[in-house]
Amino acid sequence: MKTIILIVLVIIWNTNAKEQSVRIKGRFTCHGLPAQYAEVQLVSKKIIGGDAFARDVFSDPSGAFEIAGYIDWSKYSKIDVRLYIWHNCFEKPYEQSDPCKNWFEFKVPNIFINDGTLAQKKWELGEVKLETPKYGKTLDACD
């Protein structure tokens, strides 16, 4: 009897679990200039089993970036996706000091989380001014 219940639960899970995807496009500036080579990471936060679909890209010489990823067998609700940004832009240009990096995160709104492996809806983040203080902005250790 326990085996039958287990098989039924696995079948229910497999029919309800689905793939979900995210696609984000934007551009970074630092004091009016393109923020070249800022690191962008897409992560799906999970309570159990650790984070999923960590994907890294860097902004191009014009400060632009586009990142996409998907996770399969996601839970029954929308995935909790975060966009992490690491950069060398400080509020005052003379504060910059390698190898220190500022970082912050955006929570991706649920309306931009797509069903399936190819994201149809794209979150157009627009221009992000990295020198502007952001809630939760943190300075990495400068070892």
Side-chain angles (χ1 to χ4, degrees), residues 6 11 13 27 47 73 76 85 89 94 115-116 129 138 140:
L6 182 61
I11 290 171
W13 174 261
R27 183 172 181 271
I47 296 170
W73 303 109
Y76 296 103
I85 296 111
C89 183
Y94 56 82
D115 290 335
K129 296 178 181 184
T138 306
D140 270 350

Side-chain angles (χ1 to χ4, degrees), residues 88-107:
N88 290 323
C89 183
F90 294 79
E91 288 182 58
K92 298 176 181 124
Y94 56 82
E95 292 178 331
Q96 291 183 317
S97 174
D98 286 336
C100 301
K101 289 188 183 272
N102 276 327
W103 72 272
F104 62 96
E105 69 180 85
F106 286 114
K107 181 180 182 334

Side-chain angles (χ1 to χ4, degrees), residues 110-134:
N110 285 341
I111 61 169
F112 295 109
I113 297 174
N114 300 263
D115 290 335
T117 57
L118 291 174
Q120 300 300 314
K121 292 179 284 183
K122 177 174 33 174
W123 187 20
E124 294 280 354
L125 197 55
E127 184 178 303
V128 179
K129 296 178 181 184
L130 297 177
E131 73 274 9
T132 305
K134 313 238 180 331

Side-chain angles (χ1 to χ4, degrees), residues 25-143:
K25 183 178 182 180
R27 183 172 181 271
F28 301 128
T29 60
C30 180
H31 301 284
L33 300 171
Q36 302 177 351
Y37 314 115
E39 184 177 0
V40 182
Q41 187 178 59
L42 193 57
V43 176
S44 174
K45 304 298 281 180
K46 293 182 358 184
I47 296 170
I48 299 172
D51 298 343
F53 81 67
R55 172 99 198 272
D56 283 308
V57 299
F58 291 87
S59 59
D60 66 17
S62 71
F65 75 94
E66 187 163 355
I67 189 167
Y70 79 94
I71 185 170
D72 54 348
W73 303 109
S74 56
K75 56 189 178 183
Y76 296 103
S77 61
K78 294 287 186 190
I79 51 180
D80 180 18
V81 182
R82 306 298 170 112
L83 183 72
Y84 291 92
I85 296 111
W86 284 268
H87 60 88
N88 290 323
C89 183
F90 294 79
E91 288 182 58
K92 298 176 181 124
Y94 56 82
E95 292 178 331
Q96 291 183 317
S97 174
D98 286 336
C100 301
K101 289 188 183 272
N102 276 327
W103 72 272
F104 62 96
E105 69 180 85
F106 286 114
K107 181 180 182 334
V108 177
N110 285 341
I111 61 169
F112 295 109
I113 297 174
N114 300 263
D115 290 335
T117 57
L118 291 174
Q120 300 300 314
K121 292 179 284 183
K122 177 174 33 174
W123 187 20
E124 294 280 354
L125 197 55
E127 184 178 303
V128 179
K129 296 178 181 184
L130 297 177
E131 73 274 9
T132 305
K134 313 238 180 331
Y135 176 77
K137 194 172 193 177
T138 306
L139 183 64
D140 270 350
C142 300
D143 300 342

